Amino acid sequence: MNVMDKDAIYVIQIYTRQPVVIAEGKGAIVWDVDGKEYIDCVAGIAVNNVGHCHPKVVSAIKKQAERLIHTSNLYYTETQVELAEKIASLTNLDKVFLCNSGTEAAEAALKLARKASNEKDFIAADGSFHGRSMGALSVTSREKYRKAFEPLIPGVKFVPYDDAEAIEDAITPRTAAVILEPIQGEGGVRIPSDGYLRAVRDICDDSGTLLIFDEVQTGFGRTGRWFASMHWGVQPDIMIMAKAMGGGFPIGAMVAKESVAQKFQRGDHASTFGGSPLACAASLGAISALEKGLVERSAKLGKYFMKKLGELKHDYIKEVRGKGLMIGMELTIGGDAIVDKARERGVLLNCVSETVLRFVPPLVITKEQIDRVVEVLG
Ligand SMILES: Cc1ncc(COP(=O)(O)O)c(C=O)c1O
């Protein structure tokens, strides 16, 4: 029986998978079980920023796996504090909670915001995606994801994205926090206008509301800065991250300002696996790879990629937009057929929000590989 048939029998069928069985990866290339090569413009959904099997990540995992894999948070480890210090310095925030995914980081952020503000309500944006656990789903806007699981947590208001006034109008004395993606990912690679995040920051400051930035998809160099909010120089009170943080190994974090973080006390939140020595070592390996110029490379190659995509002329192409190597091509038709055709011709893509082709390749992708992707699309 082949892999796809077995999957249909044994794996709960919640994923819409593309019909390819991936066996190996290196840099921006993956190979399927038949040896067919693909340029990977999905990167495990914006995870493999340092490329598949980056030597620094592989060697960090190997070394750590031979020493200590897991201890629980009943004890200290050197790798965990080393990573926490690094994340605090990269974000200019103060204290870190380590977990295993973006959803868990979102969940932790919502709990911290409630505890720190002593209020209950949240404001999120139309088109938002923050995860699918009950809390994270409650601030995720799409009806399609929410409907079957209601009632979700009460007191969440959705406002149009990129509209600061709508946030100002929605804030009440019961608002604990505003949660936003600095650039929306699943919502269709939506980039806000330049003054948006600053205006939201000011509104939150004036009303004493906490501001949470979800950098799960936009973090770790994806947009040409370490974190997307840095394009606009706006600091949140709480930031969440995951995806590219471990170079492919599962790890996430919630990072907060000291004054907010200190409201979380012993027993308020926890994770058995969170911040395991192995995950932290993988993350330190990935960060050290990113520090070798990959963030700048994302900015530079992102411009090149966007320019090339922008030169494609077709009635179906409505707009090409992006920052760094987080690029969306909005179509006037559904994108799935193009994703299928591109895959047949050796390019992995995916489509978000039905009509937006998303390009989030490893930041190590070469110009030649970008040229090939554009040629295939053409
Ligand atoms: C912005 C954002 N937040 C949160 C999540 C959830 O992360 P995870 O799938 O690691 O739980 C995602 C996943 O796509 C995301 O894009």
Side-chain angles (χ1 to χ4, degrees), residues 251-265:
I251 183 166
M254 174 196 66
V255 195
K257 282 183 182 162
E258 176 68 44
S259 56
V260 178
Q262 64 182 217
K263 299 287 171 28
F264 247 3
Q265 287 152 350

Side-chain angles (χ1 to χ4, degrees), residues 7 30 46 79 91 96 102 106 108 134 159 184 188 215 222 262 276 315 324 337 370:
D7 180 282
V30 292
T79 41
T91 55
V96 180
M134 287 298 186
V159 296
Q184 285 191 337
E215 296 261 15
R222 170 55 56 199
Q262 64 182 217
S276 82
D315 291 348
I370 290 174

Side-chain angles (χ1 to χ4, degrees), residues 45 100-104 106 129-132 136 181 183-186 214-218 240 242-243 251 358:
I45 319 185
N100 312 285
S101 68
T103 301
E104 283 176 62
F129 187 88
H130 301 291
R132 301 181 199 238
E181 293 155 84
I183 294 174
Q184 285 191 337
E186 300 307 300
D214 179 340
E215 296 261 15
V216 167
Q217 190 162 146
T218 47
I240 61 174
K243 288 199 186 274
I251 183 166
R358 174 172 54 185

Side-chain angles (χ1 to χ4, degrees), residues 217-244:
Q217 190 162 146
T218 47
F220 296 96
R222 170 55 56 199
T223 71
R225 295 284 177 106
W226 275 93
F227 295 94
S229 47
M230 293 175 175
H231 285 286
W232 297 282
V234 181
Q235 276 272 82
D237 301 293
I238 302 173
M239 186 190 286
I240 61 174
M241 60 197 66
K243 288 199 186 274

Side-chain angles (χ1 to χ4, degrees), residues 318-333:
K318 198 165 152 196
E319 189 187 27
V320 176
R321 53 180 179 255
K323 271 215 188 286
L325 283 167
M326 180 169 181
I327 302 171
M329 177 186 271
E330 180 153 3
L331 306 170
T332 56
I333 52 161

